């Protein structure tokens, strides 16, 4: 005889906990993107005085 | 126990001591000793929190329950995963910032006193006595669990297992303090994670494939495949409600306080969640595949399903590592509770009540002696595993959740919360948990509802009602509350 998990079992196993993992991975990726954006911004801030110096000379 | 397994155990103990020594060298003041100098990064913080939160229950109790009754046992895992996530999401950042803004509070009782400018010391005393008593029994119960396990599984005498286990935990916790606890928890958390991923995957390969496993399990009892088999709505709510307990577990909350910045908590939450969900699912499937694997020779003690898998599916070196993972789960929880109980004794009671101007050196030594004293007390208590005092631990999870959960949540997020409100909430929460449980046991309450539900909501109501009765929130407290919103720690 063939058996399978009930639909409720499949949904309970596949929805709440895996969903938390998906949220976590999205949150990690967003954090990485934000950090990268901030790095780019701070680098450009560092470059600006140099550019101004070059323009002035 | 084979000589290879013993070698793995000795290596494991040696690594714990090396970590303890390295932590000792990095510890220079009390903030280091009881809060790791607030220098916990997201990976160590995330994984070590998982290891300290999950006790032997994860590797023994949960797989055992699923092995015995099938998938209807998974609700507690779902409740814990959701509760822990919400705790990291909402409590984590705010308590990290608030404890620093509120006069650099190093412990939970310290925070409550500073948050509410409580000069009467009543919040400090009630909170720290509660922590001290319940953790002493919690630690003792953990030691009993570990020693019984090693006695029944390996034939080592109960006393030997108890004394060796206690000595190792005392060793690294006492010398290395919070750093040692966090780093050993991280190492132990990795072992637990690997073990809980490996066992179900290898078990499934041995069973053939998913379809074969399901057919074998279904042929034993089709109810094993149904999450609702034998459950009631109140039963499921009770199991899900275990997640409420997280908001008040001091050994979990303190990890948030120890993180370097609040940004680390966002990353730590993701690391923790991936660890936690994988570990819980691994534990569930260890028990689930155990139903099919041991169909011809059912286990006398369902809670040994993880251990028997470890002994039958792998070579002795891997078996040793997997068994060390069981020990890791037990030890990581005990050491975390031990450092919190010691901080309640040294920082909250000794310094807070008697020696406000004690030197850092004196306080560190008092904290170390507190670790030793509480460990010795817990070990002596554990020498008699039949002691009825140990049954108190049954209230601990719900008790902490109901006593501290609403008090912490409202202290963090509701500016009108008052000292008297928190005090009333703690007392109502603790009393409700015990009274509800006893009334259920006596049959006066004719249905089962996990005591954390009335305890938590009773406490929540008490904090709100008493806080609204008299407006005693000072301007200074409101300004501090608002400063936390703007802080960039």
């Amino acid at each position: 005889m063939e058996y399978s998990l009930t639909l409720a079992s499949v949904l309970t196993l596949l929805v709440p906990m895996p969903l938390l993992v998906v949220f976590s991975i999205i949150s990690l990726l967003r954090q990485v993107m934000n950090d990268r954006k901030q790095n780019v911004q701070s680098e450009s801030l560092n470059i600006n005085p140099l550019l101004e110096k070059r323009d002035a000379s | 126990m084979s000589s290879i397994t013993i070698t793995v155990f000795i290596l494991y103990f040696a690594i714990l001591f090396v970590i303890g020594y390295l932590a000792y060298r990095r510890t220079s003041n009390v903030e280091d000793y009881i809060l790791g100098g607030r220098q916990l990064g997201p990976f160590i913080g995330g994984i070590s929190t998982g290891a300290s939160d999950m006790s032997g229950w994860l590797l023994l109790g949960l797989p055992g329950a699923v092995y015995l009754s099938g998938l209807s046992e998974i609700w507690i895992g779902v409740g814990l995963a959701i509760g822990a996530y919400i705790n990291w999401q909402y409590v984590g950042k705010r308590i990290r910032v608030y404890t620093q803004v509120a006069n650099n509070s190093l412990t939970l009782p310290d925070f409550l006193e500073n948050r509410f400018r409580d000069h009467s010391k009543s919040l400090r005393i009630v909170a720290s006595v509660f922590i001290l008593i319940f953790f002493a029994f919690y630690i003792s119960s953990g030691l009993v669990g570990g020693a019984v396990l090693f006695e029944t599984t390996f034939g080592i005498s109960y006393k030997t297992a108890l004394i060796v286990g206690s000595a190792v935990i005392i060793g690294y916790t006492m010398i290395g303090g919070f750093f040692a606890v966090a780093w050993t928890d991280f190492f132990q958390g990795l072992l637990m994670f690997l073990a809980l991923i490996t066992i179900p995957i290898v078990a499934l390969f041995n069973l053939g494939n998913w379809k074969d496993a399901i057919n074998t399990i279904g042929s034993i009892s089709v109810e094993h495949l149904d999450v609702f088999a034998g459950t009631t709505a109140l039963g499921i709510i009770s199991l899900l409600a275990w997640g409420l307990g997280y908001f008040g577990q001091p050994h979990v909350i303190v990890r948030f306080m120890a993180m370097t910045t609040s940004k680390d908590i966002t990353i730590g939450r993701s690391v923790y969640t991936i660890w936690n969900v994988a570990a819980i699912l691994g534990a569930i499937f260890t028990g689930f595949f155990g139903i099919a694997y041991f169909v011809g020779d059912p286990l006398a003690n369902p809670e040994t399903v993880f251990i028997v898998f470890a002994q039958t599916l792998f070579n002795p070196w891997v078996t040793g590592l997997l068994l060390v993972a069981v020990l890791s789960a037990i030890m990581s929880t005990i050491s975390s509770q031990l450092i919190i109980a010691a901080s309640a004794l040294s920082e909250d009671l000794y310094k807070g009540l008697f020696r406000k101007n004690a030197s850092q050196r004196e306080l560190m030594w008092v904290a170390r002696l507190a670790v030793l004293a509480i460990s010795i007390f817990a070990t002596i208590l554990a020498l008699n595993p039949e002691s009825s005092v140990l049954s108190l631990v049954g209230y601990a999870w719900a008790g902490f959740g109901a006593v501290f959960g609403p008090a912490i949540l409202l202290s963090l997020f509701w500016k009108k919360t008052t000292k008297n409100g928190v005090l009333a909430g703690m007392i109502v929460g603790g009393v409700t948990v015990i009274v509800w449980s006893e009334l259920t046991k006596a049959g006066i309450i004719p249905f089962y509802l996990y005591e954390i539900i009335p305890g938590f909501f009773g406490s929540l109501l008490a904090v709100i009602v008493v806080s609204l009765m008299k407006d005693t929130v000072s301007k200074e407290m409101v300004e501090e509350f608002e400063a936390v919103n703007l802080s960039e720690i």
Side-chain angles (χ1 to χ4, degrees):
Chain A
M1 191 176 168
E2 288 276 310
Y3 291 94
S4 61
L5 295 183
T6 63
L7 182 62
S9 302
V10 174
L11 291 176
T12 312
L13 281 167
L14 291 183
V15 178
M17 291 193 279
L19 206 61
L20 294 179
V21 172
V22 172
F23 285 160
S24 302
I25 291 170
I26 291 172
S27 162
L28 264 181
L29 290 175
R30 278 179 54 188
Q31 191 76 45
V32 171
M33 298 290 273
N34 276 346
D35 285 354
R36 197 171 282 178
K37 213 188 253 177
Q38 275 176 356
N39 282 343
V40 170
Q41 277 172 352
S42 61
E43 273 171 21
S44 65
L45 282 174
N46 288 338
I47 288 168
N48 279 343
L50 294 176
L51 290 175
E52 282 164 15
K53 216 175 185 180
R54 189 197 63 184
D55 291 344
S57 66
Chain B
M1 200 190 281
S2 77
S3 56
I4 292 177
T5 309
I6 293 173
T7 311
V8 176
F9 271 61
I10 291 170
L11 277 174
Y12 166 69
F13 289 152
I15 290 171
L16 296 183
F17 277 116
V18 169
I19 294 174
Y21 175 70
L22 293 174
Y24 170 78
R25 292 194 49 173
R26 223 186 131 166
T27 302
S28 55
N29 57 41
V30 172
E31 186 172 358
D32 288 346
Y33 193 79
I34 63 178
L35 208 53
R38 296 197 199 252
Q39 288 171 32
L40 217 54
F43 285 92
I44 304 236
I47 292 174
S48 75
T49 307
S52 70
D53 152 31
M54 290 294 181
S55 60
W57 169 83
L58 183 68
L59 281 79
L60 307 172
L62 181 58
V66 175
Y67 172 77
L68 199 62
S69 311
L71 290 180
S72 58
E73 294 292 335
I74 72 172
W75 292 105
I76 190 170
V78 175
L80 289 174
I82 295 172
Y85 186 87
I86 296 172
N87 198 31
W88 275 86
Q89 173 79 24
Y90 295 104
V91 175
K93 270 189 184 178
R94 184 124 184 124
I95 203 160
R96 167 66 187 85
V97 177
Y98 216 145
T99 50
Q100 190 159 347
V101 172
N103 200 23
N104 195 22
S105 310
L106 300 183
T107 66
L108 213 48
D110 208 15
F111 167 63
L112 292 175
E113 181 174 294
N114 291 329
R115 162 75 175 83
F116 296 104
R117 311 293 191 272
D118 175 24
H119 303 297
S120 72
K121 311 269 179 203
S122 50
L123 283 176
R124 175 184 290 274
I125 294 171
V126 171
S128 50
V129 166
F130 194 81
I131 287 174
L132 205 53
I133 293 174
F134 273 91
F135 272 156
F137 294 123
Y138 227 137
I139 293 162
S140 194
S141 169
L143 290 172
V144 170
V148 167
L149 173 79
F150 279 77
E151 184 187 36
T152 51
T153 315
F154 306 116
I156 301 171
S157 90
Y158 176 81
K159 271 189 186 169
T160 309
L162 178 67
I163 289 166
V164 170
S166 303
V168 174
I169 298 169
I170 293 170
Y172 69 79
T173 308
M174 193 176 153
I175 59 168
F178 188 90
F179 277 129
V181 170
W183 290 343
T184 52
D185 283 1
F186 172 71
F187 167 61
Q188 290 162 329
L190 289 179
L191 285 173
M192 290 161 68
F193 181 82
L194 289 175
L196 284 166
I197 298 294
T198 309
I199 286 195
I201 291 174
V202 175
L204 182 61
F205 274 115
N206 277 270
L207 286 166
N209 57 42
W210 173 260
K211 215 171 174 183
D212 293 341
I214 295 288
N215 281 334
T216 311
I217 295 165
S219 66
I220 297 163
S221 168
V222 74
E223 292 201 336
H224 286 333
L225 305 174
D226 184 4
V227 284
F228 290 123
T231 57
T232 60
L234 277 184
I236 290 175
I237 291 169
S238 288
L239 291 172
L240 290 173
W242 276 75
L244 284 175
Y246 275 110
F247 303 116
Q249 301 301 316
H251 57 304
V252 175
I253 301 286
V254 162
R255 297 293 158 121
F256 299 145
M257 293 159 60
M259 302 287 271
T260 312
T261 63
S262 58
K263 194 174 116 186
D264 289 325
I265 292 177
T266 311
I267 304 171
R269 184 190 67 217
S270 301
V271 172
Y272 170 88
T273 305
I274 294 166
W275 182 96
N276 197 32
V277 169
I280 291 175
L281 288 177
I284 288 170
F285 282 107
T286 297
F288 190 61
F289 295 140
I291 303 171
Y293 193 85
F294 300 109
V295 62
D297 185 17
L299 303 173
N301 178 2
E303 293 205 347
T304 57
V305 58
F306 178 96
I307 293 174
V308 181
F309 261 142
Q311 287 171 325
T312 50
L313 291 179
F314 302 93
N315 75 50
W317 287 101
V318 182
T319 301
L321 268 178
L322 295 171
L323 295 177
V324 155
V326 178
L327 203 55
S328 294
I330 297 169
M331 292 172 79
S332 55
T333 304
I334 294 175
S335 62
S336 309
Q337 294 171 341
L338 192 52
I339 199 79
I340 305 298
S343 69
L345 198 61
S346 59
E347 183 72 12
D348 296 324
L349 296 178
Y350 180 80
K351 181 190 167 198
L353 299 182
F354 309 112
R355 294 274 296 162
K356 206 166 177 55
N357 299 317
S359 70
Q360 290 287 314
R361 194 180 151 78
E362 177 183 339
L363 290 172
M364 278 204 355
W365 276 106
V366 172
R368 286 201 169 101
L369 288 174
V371 168
L372 186 65
I374 295 162
S375 311
I376 291 173
F377 175 77
T379 308
I380 290 172
L381 209 62
L383 281 172
N384 177 15
E386 306 300 321
S387 167
S388 57
V389 181
L390 284 177
S391 65
L392 273 175
V393 80
Y395 299 123
W397 182 267
F400 276 132
V403 169
F404 290 123
I408 291 172
L409 285 171
L410 290 169
S411 300
L412 293 176
F413 294 105
W414 190 40
K415 78 174 99 165
K416 289 184 177 168
T417 313
T418 64
K419 177 203 125 184
N420 288 338
V422 167
L423 202 57
M426 291 201 299
I427 294 166
V428 168
V431 171
T432 309
V433 162
I434 294 171
V435 170
W436 187 276
S437 175
E438 292 303 319
L439 290 179
T440 307
K441 276 182 207 162
I444 296 168
I445 295 172
F447 54 89
Y448 174 74
L449 183 68
Y450 183 32
E451 54 267 22
I452 199 169
I453 299 173
F456 187 92
F457 290 103
S459 171
L460 194 73
L461 200 65
V463 181
I464 294 171
V465 170
V466 175
S467 294
L468 288 175
M469 275 163 66
K470 200 176 173 193
D471 186 19
T472 53
V473 182
S474 69
K475 195 179 163 211
E476 195 187 0
M477 276 160 60
V478 173
E479 280 171 2
E480 186 179 86
F481 185 93
E482 278 158 6
V484 176
N485 296 335
L486 303 172
S487 171
E488 289 183 1
I489 293 170

